[in-house]
PDB file of all heavy atoms in Angstrom:
ATOM      1  N   THR A 332       1.132 -16.086  -6.455  1.00  0.00           N
ATOM      2  CA  THR A 332       2.015 -16.771  -7.370  1.00  0.00           C
ATOM      3  C   THR A 332       1.350 -17.942  -8.119  1.00  0.00           C
ATOM      4  O   THR A 332       0.203 -18.315  -7.689  1.00  0.00           O
ATOM      5  CB  THR A 332       3.189 -17.389  -6.528  1.00  0.00           C
ATOM      6  OG1 THR A 332       2.754 -18.620  -5.912  1.00  0.00           O
ATOM      7  CG2 THR A 332       3.800 -16.478  -5.508  1.00  0.00           C
ATOM      8  N   ASP A 333       2.005 -18.387  -9.139  1.00  0.00           N
ATOM      9  CA  ASP A 333       1.502 -19.535  -9.864  1.00  0.00           C
ATOM     10  C   ASP A 333       2.148 -20.843  -9.439  1.00  0.00           C
ATOM     11  O   ASP A 333       1.818 -21.906  -9.995  1.00  0.00           O
ATOM     12  CB  ASP A 333       1.652 -19.341 -11.366  1.00  0.00           C
ATOM     13  CG  ASP A 333       3.132 -19.182 -11.791  1.00  0.00           C
ATOM     14  OD1 ASP A 333       4.031 -19.331 -10.903  1.00  0.00           O
ATOM     15  OD2 ASP A 333       3.334 -18.895 -13.011  1.00  0.00           O
ATOM     16  N   PHE A 334       3.039 -20.783  -8.440  1.00  0.00           N
ATOM     17  CA  PHE A 334       3.656 -21.959  -7.829  1.00  0.00           C
ATOM     18  C   PHE A 334       4.581 -22.724  -8.872  1.00  0.00           C
ATOM     19  O   PHE A 334       4.823 -23.906  -8.673  1.00  0.00           O
ATOM     20  CB  PHE A 334       2.673 -22.894  -7.235  1.00  0.00           C
ATOM     21  CG  PHE A 334       1.835 -22.363  -6.204  1.00  0.00           C
ATOM     22  CD1 PHE A 334       0.439 -21.958  -6.465  1.00  0.00           C
ATOM     23  CD2 PHE A 334       2.231 -22.147  -4.906  1.00  0.00           C
ATOM     24  CE1 PHE A 334      -0.327 -21.460  -5.480  1.00  0.00           C
ATOM     25  CE2 PHE A 334       1.422 -21.567  -3.920  1.00  0.00           C
ATOM     26  CZ  PHE A 334       0.130 -21.165  -4.223  1.00  0.00           C
ATOM     27  N   ALA A 335       4.904 -22.071  -9.982  1.00  0.00           N
ATOM     28  CA  ALA A 335       5.615 -22.783 -11.028  1.00  0.00           C
ATOM     29  C   ALA A 335       7.004 -22.259 -11.295  1.00  0.00           C
ATOM     30  O   ALA A 335       7.660 -22.754 -12.218  1.00  0.00           O
ATOM     31  CB  ALA A 335       4.806 -22.780 -12.257  1.00  0.00           C
ATOM     32  N   VAL A 336       7.515 -21.300 -10.544  1.00  0.00           N
ATOM     33  CA  VAL A 336       8.838 -20.764 -10.799  1.00  0.00           C
ATOM     34  C   VAL A 336       9.911 -21.814 -10.546  1.00  0.00           C
ATOM     35  O   VAL A 336       9.778 -22.697  -9.660  1.00  0.00           O
ATOM     36  CB  VAL A 336       9.054 -19.522  -9.920  1.00  0.00           C
ATOM     37  CG1 VAL A 336       9.209 -19.861  -8.424  1.00  0.00           C
ATOM     38  CG2 VAL A 336      10.255 -18.695 -10.437  1.00  0.00           C
ATOM     39  N   SER A 337      10.952 -21.727 -11.243  1.00  0.00           N
ATOM     40  CA  SER A 337      12.133 -22.560 -10.966  1.00  0.00           C
ATOM     41  C   SER A 337      12.772 -22.025  -9.700  1.00  0.00           C
ATOM     42  O   SER A 337      13.090 -20.798  -9.577  1.00  0.00           O
ATOM     43  CB  SER A 337      13.168 -22.498 -12.099  1.00  0.00           C
ATOM     44  OG  SER A 337      14.372 -23.176 -11.678  1.00  0.00           O
ATOM     45  N   VAL A 338      13.051 -22.811  -8.747  1.00  0.00           N
ATOM     46  CA  VAL A 338      13.615 -22.381  -7.453  1.00  0.00           C
ATOM     47  C   VAL A 338      15.187 -22.590  -7.415  1.00  0.00           C
ATOM     48  O   VAL A 338      15.738 -22.456  -6.347  1.00  0.00           O
ATOM     49  CB  VAL A 338      12.942 -23.071  -6.241  1.00  0.00           C
ATOM     50  CG1 VAL A 338      11.456 -22.738  -6.212  1.00  0.00           C
ATOM     51  CG2 VAL A 338      13.139 -24.603  -6.288  1.00  0.00           C
ATOM     52  N   GLY A 339      15.745 -22.882  -8.560  1.00  0.00           N
ATOM     53  CA  GLY A 339      17.236 -22.923  -8.612  1.00  0.00           C
ATOM     54  C   GLY A 339      17.807 -24.198  -9.040  1.00  0.00           C
ATOM     55  O   GLY A 339      18.921 -24.205  -9.574  1.00  0.00           O
ATOM     56  N   ASP A 340      17.185 -25.326  -8.690  1.00  0.00           N
ATOM     57  CA  ASP A 340      17.766 -26.562  -9.125  1.00  0.00           C
ATOM     58  C   ASP A 340      16.886 -27.525  -9.808  1.00  0.00           C
ATOM     59  O   ASP A 340      16.997 -28.746  -9.834  1.00  0.00           O
ATOM     60  CB  ASP A 340      18.299 -27.315  -7.812  1.00  0.00           C
ATOM     61  CG  ASP A 340      17.240 -27.692  -6.880  1.00  0.00           C
ATOM     62  OD1 ASP A 340      16.066 -27.250  -7.081  1.00  0.00           O
ATOM     63  OD2 ASP A 340      17.513 -28.418  -5.891  1.00  0.00           O
ATOM     64  N   ASP A 341      15.822 -26.914 -10.382  1.00  0.00           N
ATOM     65  CA  ASP A 341      14.745 -27.697 -11.022  1.00  0.00           C
ATOM     66  C   ASP A 341      14.418 -27.180 -12.427  1.00  0.00           C
ATOM     67  O   ASP A 341      13.228 -27.318 -12.903  1.00  0.00           O
ATOM     68  CB  ASP A 341      13.553 -27.698 -10.135  1.00  0.00           C
ATOM     69  CG  ASP A 341      13.045 -26.319  -9.828  1.00  0.00           C
ATOM     70  OD1 ASP A 341      13.644 -25.320 -10.262  1.00  0.00           O
ATOM     71  OD2 ASP A 341      11.981 -26.188  -9.131  1.00  0.00           O
ATOM     72  N   GLU A 342      15.362 -26.564 -13.103  1.00  0.00           N
ATOM     73  CA  GLU A 342      15.091 -25.993 -14.401  1.00  0.00           C
ATOM     74  C   GLU A 342      14.822 -27.156 -15.450  1.00  0.00           C
ATOM     75  O   GLU A 342      14.291 -26.861 -16.520  1.00  0.00           O
ATOM     76  CB  GLU A 342      16.238 -25.126 -14.862  1.00  0.00           C
ATOM     77  CG  GLU A 342      16.355 -23.891 -14.029  1.00  0.00           C
ATOM     78  CD  GLU A 342      17.457 -22.972 -14.536  1.00  0.00           C
ATOM     79  OE1 GLU A 342      18.247 -23.378 -15.396  1.00  0.00           O
ATOM     80  OE2 GLU A 342      17.445 -21.780 -14.090  1.00  0.00           O
ATOM     81  N   HIS A 343      15.198 -28.398 -15.129  1.00  0.00           N
ATOM     82  CA  HIS A 343      14.896 -29.423 -16.062  1.00  0.00           C
ATOM     83  C   HIS A 343      13.540 -29.914 -16.028  1.00  0.00           C
ATOM     84  O   HIS A 343      13.055 -30.629 -16.907  1.00  0.00           O
ATOM     85  CB  HIS A 343      15.865 -30.664 -15.708  1.00  0.00           C
ATOM     86  CG  HIS A 343      15.672 -31.188 -14.332  1.00  0.00           C
ATOM     87  ND1 HIS A 343      16.070 -30.449 -13.164  1.00  0.00           N
ATOM     88  CD2 HIS A 343      15.028 -32.324 -13.858  1.00  0.00           C
ATOM     89  CE1 HIS A 343      15.678 -31.170 -12.059  1.00  0.00           C
ATOM     90  NE2 HIS A 343      15.101 -32.255 -12.496  1.00  0.00           N
ATOM     91  N   LEU A 344      12.782 -29.438 -15.015  1.00  0.00           N
ATOM     92  CA  LEU A 344      11.301 -29.794 -14.957  1.00  0.00           C
ATOM     93  C   LEU A 344      10.482 -28.732 -15.726  1.00  0.00           C
ATOM     94  O   LEU A 344      10.860 -27.645 -15.814  1.00  0.00           O
ATOM     95  CB  LEU A 344      10.901 -29.802 -13.503  1.00  0.00           C
ATOM     96  CG  LEU A 344      11.589 -30.778 -12.523  1.00  0.00           C
ATOM     97  CD1 LEU A 344      11.077 -30.611 -11.043  1.00  0.00           C
ATOM     98  CD2 LEU A 344      11.340 -32.192 -13.013  1.00  0.00           C
ATOM     99  N   SER A 345       9.342 -29.281 -16.200  1.00  0.00           N
ATOM    100  CA  SER A 345       8.413 -28.254 -16.782  1.00  0.00           C
ATOM    101  C   SER A 345       7.705 -27.482 -15.712  1.00  0.00           C
ATOM    102  O   SER A 345       7.682 -27.882 -14.579  1.00  0.00           O
ATOM    103  CB  SER A 345       7.278 -29.132 -17.636  1.00  0.00           C
ATOM    104  OG  SER A 345       6.500 -29.856 -16.749  1.00  0.00           O
ATOM    105  N   PRO A 346       7.119 -26.301 -16.116  1.00  0.00           N
ATOM    106  CA  PRO A 346       6.364 -25.522 -15.112  1.00  0.00           C
ATOM    107  C   PRO A 346       5.220 -26.350 -14.440  1.00  0.00           C
ATOM    108  O   PRO A 346       5.047 -26.180 -13.234  1.00  0.00           O
ATOM    109  CB  PRO A 346       5.815 -24.416 -15.996  1.00  0.00           C
ATOM    110  CG  PRO A 346       6.776 -24.206 -17.098  1.00  0.00           C
ATOM    111  CD  PRO A 346       7.234 -25.656 -17.389  1.00  0.00           C
ATOM    112  N   GLU A 347       4.581 -27.193 -15.177  1.00  0.00           N
ATOM    113  CA  GLU A 347       3.492 -28.000 -14.645  1.00  0.00           C
ATOM    114  C   GLU A 347       4.099 -28.993 -13.540  1.00  0.00           C
ATOM    115  O   GLU A 347       3.455 -29.152 -12.478  1.00  0.00           O
ATOM    116  CB  GLU A 347       2.741 -28.730 -15.695  1.00  0.00           C
ATOM    117  CG  GLU A 347       1.952 -27.921 -16.674  1.00  0.00           C
ATOM    118  CD  GLU A 347       2.833 -27.141 -17.649  1.00  0.00           C
ATOM    119  OE1 GLU A 347       4.009 -27.539 -17.873  1.00  0.00           O
ATOM    120  OE2 GLU A 347       2.380 -26.158 -18.278  1.00  0.00           O
ATOM    121  N   GLU A 348       5.238 -29.584 -13.871  1.00  0.00           N
ATOM    122  CA  GLU A 348       5.803 -30.469 -12.889  1.00  0.00           C
ATOM    123  C   GLU A 348       6.241 -29.696 -11.605  1.00  0.00           C
ATOM    124  O   GLU A 348       6.147 -30.142 -10.460  1.00  0.00           O
ATOM    125  CB  GLU A 348       7.042 -31.205 -13.452  1.00  0.00           C
ATOM    126  CG  GLU A 348       6.655 -32.222 -14.531  1.00  0.00           C
ATOM    127  CD  GLU A 348       7.890 -32.836 -15.212  1.00  0.00           C
ATOM    128  OE1 GLU A 348       8.656 -32.063 -15.756  1.00  0.00           O
ATOM    129  OE2 GLU A 348       8.040 -34.092 -15.140  1.00  0.00           O
ATOM    130  N   ARG A 349       6.851 -28.523 -11.776  1.00  0.00           N
ATOM    131  CA  ARG A 349       7.225 -27.705 -10.668  1.00  0.00           C
ATOM    132  C   ARG A 349       6.026 -27.281  -9.804  1.00  0.00           C
ATOM    133  O   ARG A 349       6.128 -27.301  -8.581  1.00  0.00           O
ATOM    134  CB  ARG A 349       8.043 -26.483 -11.154  1.00  0.00           C
ATOM    135  CG  ARG A 349       9.362 -26.800 -11.769  1.00  0.00           C
ATOM    136  CD  ARG A 349      10.260 -25.560 -11.842  1.00  0.00           C
ATOM    137  NE  ARG A 349       9.800 -24.591 -12.785  1.00  0.00           N
ATOM    138  CZ  ARG A 349      10.209 -24.455 -14.046  1.00  0.00           C
ATOM    139  NH1 ARG A 349      11.066 -25.321 -14.537  1.00  0.00           N
ATOM    140  NH2 ARG A 349       9.723 -23.465 -14.811  1.00  0.00           N
ATOM    141  N   ARG A 350       4.935 -26.946 -10.466  1.00  0.00           N
ATOM    142  CA  ARG A 350       3.781 -26.543  -9.745  1.00  0.00           C
ATOM    143  C   ARG A 350       3.265 -27.774  -8.962  1.00  0.00           C
ATOM    144  O   ARG A 350       2.788 -27.610  -7.766  1.00  0.00           O
ATOM    145  CB  ARG A 350       2.656 -26.019 -10.727  1.00  0.00           C
ATOM    146  CG  ARG A 350       1.370 -25.610  -9.937  1.00  0.00           C
ATOM    147  CD  ARG A 350       0.322 -25.106 -10.948  1.00  0.00           C
ATOM    148  NE  ARG A 350       0.752 -23.926 -11.607  1.00  0.00           N
ATOM    149  CZ  ARG A 350       0.922 -23.784 -12.878  1.00  0.00           C
ATOM    150  NH1 ARG A 350       0.648 -24.838 -13.720  1.00  0.00           N
ATOM    151  NH2 ARG A 350       1.209 -22.663 -13.414  1.00  0.00           N
ATOM    152  N   SER A 351       3.185 -28.903  -9.507  1.00  0.00           N
ATOM    153  CA  SER A 351       2.738 -30.094  -8.851  1.00  0.00           C
ATOM    154  C   SER A 351       3.475 -30.390  -7.634  1.00  0.00           C
ATOM    155  O   SER A 351       3.024 -30.687  -6.554  1.00  0.00           O
ATOM    156  CB  SER A 351       2.707 -31.282  -9.804  1.00  0.00           C
ATOM    157  OG  SER A 351       2.279 -32.449  -9.162  1.00  0.00           O
ATOM    158  N   LEU A 352       4.827 -30.210  -7.753  1.00  0.00           N
ATOM    159  CA  LEU A 352       5.745 -30.436  -6.607  1.00  0.00           C
ATOM    160  C   LEU A 352       5.464 -29.403  -5.592  1.00  0.00           C
ATOM    161  O   LEU A 352       5.355 -29.723  -4.299  1.00  0.00           O
ATOM    162  CB  LEU A 352       7.162 -30.410  -7.055  1.00  0.00           C
ATOM    163  CG  LEU A 352       8.243 -30.563  -5.972  1.00  0.00           C
ATOM    164  CD1 LEU A 352       8.051 -31.862  -5.273  1.00  0.00           C
ATOM    165  CD2 LEU A 352       9.675 -30.438  -6.546  1.00  0.00           C
ATOM    166  N   ALA A 353       5.349 -28.136  -5.933  1.00  0.00           N
ATOM    167  CA  ALA A 353       5.163 -27.046  -5.010  1.00  0.00           C
ATOM    168  C   ALA A 353       3.833 -27.220  -4.218  1.00  0.00           C
ATOM    169  O   ALA A 353       3.738 -27.055  -2.989  1.00  0.00           O
ATOM    170  CB  ALA A 353       5.167 -25.691  -5.658  1.00  0.00           C
ATOM    171  N   LEU A 354       2.789 -27.657  -4.943  1.00  0.00           N
ATOM    172  CA  LEU A 354       1.504 -27.783  -4.324  1.00  0.00           C
ATOM    173  C   LEU A 354       1.467 -28.959  -3.338  1.00  0.00           C
ATOM    174  O   LEU A 354       0.538 -29.012  -2.507  1.00  0.00           O
ATOM    175  CB  LEU A 354       0.342 -27.859  -5.347  1.00  0.00           C
ATOM    176  CG  LEU A 354       0.156 -26.626  -6.182  1.00  0.00           C
ATOM    177  CD1 LEU A 354      -0.952 -26.806  -7.200  1.00  0.00           C
ATOM    178  CD2 LEU A 354      -0.163 -25.410  -5.303  1.00  0.00           C
ATOM    179  N   SER A 355       2.385 -29.884  -3.471  1.00  0.00           N
ATOM    180  CA  SER A 355       2.496 -30.957  -2.485  1.00  0.00           C
ATOM    181  C   SER A 355       3.203 -30.632  -1.250  1.00  0.00           C
ATOM    182  O   SER A 355       3.126 -31.344  -0.310  1.00  0.00           O
ATOM    183  CB  SER A 355       3.140 -32.227  -3.176  1.00  0.00           C
ATOM    184  OG  SER A 355       4.548 -31.996  -3.365  1.00  0.00           O
ATOM    185  N   VAL A 356       3.922 -29.453  -1.295  1.00  0.00           N
ATOM    186  CA  VAL A 356       4.745 -29.066  -0.185  1.00  0.00           C
ATOM    187  C   VAL A 356       4.213 -27.748   0.516  1.00  0.00           C
ATOM    188  O   VAL A 356       4.171 -27.631   1.711  1.00  0.00           O
ATOM    189  CB  VAL A 356       6.215 -28.883  -0.601  1.00  0.00           C
ATOM    190  CG1 VAL A 356       7.058 -28.412   0.545  1.00  0.00           C
ATOM    191  CG2 VAL A 356       6.765 -30.203  -1.076  1.00  0.00           C
ATOM    192  N   VAL A 357       3.951 -26.716  -0.317  1.00  0.00           N
ATOM    193  CA  VAL A 357       3.768 -25.400   0.129  1.00  0.00           C
ATOM    194  C   VAL A 357       2.544 -25.230   1.141  1.00  0.00           C
ATOM    195  O   VAL A 357       2.721 -24.631   2.211  1.00  0.00           O
ATOM    196  CB  VAL A 357       3.510 -24.458  -1.086  1.00  0.00           C
ATOM    197  CG1 VAL A 357       3.020 -23.043  -0.655  1.00  0.00           C
ATOM    198  CG2 VAL A 357       4.809 -24.214  -1.772  1.00  0.00           C
ATOM    199  N   PRO A 358       1.413 -25.800   0.932  1.00  0.00           N
ATOM    200  CA  PRO A 358       0.217 -25.566   1.793  1.00  0.00           C
ATOM    201  C   PRO A 358       0.493 -25.982   3.249  1.00  0.00           C
ATOM    202  O   PRO A 358      -0.071 -25.323   4.184  1.00  0.00           O
ATOM    203  CB  PRO A 358      -0.902 -26.344   1.189  1.00  0.00           C
ATOM    204  CG  PRO A 358      -0.597 -26.446  -0.237  1.00  0.00           C
ATOM    205  CD  PRO A 358       0.896 -26.548  -0.362  1.00  0.00           C
ATOM    206  N   ALA A 359       1.364 -26.938   3.480  1.00  0.00           N
ATOM    207  CA  ALA A 359       1.655 -27.345   4.853  1.00  0.00           C
ATOM    208  C   ALA A 359       2.809 -26.588   5.477  1.00  0.00           C
ATOM    209  O   ALA A 359       3.039 -26.757   6.664  1.00  0.00           O
ATOM    210  CB  ALA A 359       2.004 -28.865   4.843  1.00  0.00           C
ATOM    211  N   ASN A 360       3.454 -25.762   4.715  1.00  0.00           N
ATOM    212  CA  ASN A 360       4.668 -25.115   5.178  1.00  0.00           C
ATOM    213  C   ASN A 360       4.663 -23.556   5.167  1.00  0.00           C
ATOM    214  O   ASN A 360       5.715 -22.914   5.495  1.00  0.00           O
ATOM    215  CB  ASN A 360       5.896 -25.608   4.476  1.00  0.00           C
ATOM    216  CG  ASN A 360       6.178 -27.102   4.868  1.00  0.00           C
ATOM    217  OD1 ASN A 360       6.816 -27.379   5.837  1.00  0.00           O
ATOM    218  ND2 ASN A 360       5.750 -27.978   3.978  1.00  0.00           N
ATOM    219  N   ILE A 361       3.609 -23.007   4.637  1.00  0.00           N
ATOM    220  CA  ILE A 361       3.499 -21.535   4.535  1.00  0.00           C
ATOM    221  C   ILE A 361       2.313 -21.067   5.407  1.00  0.00           C
ATOM    222  O   ILE A 361       1.171 -21.651   5.301  1.00  0.00           O
ATOM    223  CB  ILE A 361       3.230 -21.148   3.045  1.00  0.00           C
ATOM    224  CG1 ILE A 361       4.532 -21.516   2.214  1.00  0.00           C
ATOM    225  CG2 ILE A 361       2.949 -19.699   2.912  1.00  0.00           C
ATOM    226  CD1 ILE A 361       5.778 -20.687   2.606  1.00  0.00           C
TER     227      ILE A 361
END
Side-chain angles (χ1 to χ4, degrees):
T332 77
D333 60 5
F334 303 103
V336 70
S337 171
V338 297
D340 63 352
D341 56 357
E342 292 183 348
H343 60 288
L344 300 178
S345 69
E347 292 74 20
E348 289 175 302
R349 292 196 293 264
R350 180 181 296 118
S351 178
L352 177 60
L354 293 181
S355 71
V356 174
V357 168
N360 290 278
I361 295 294

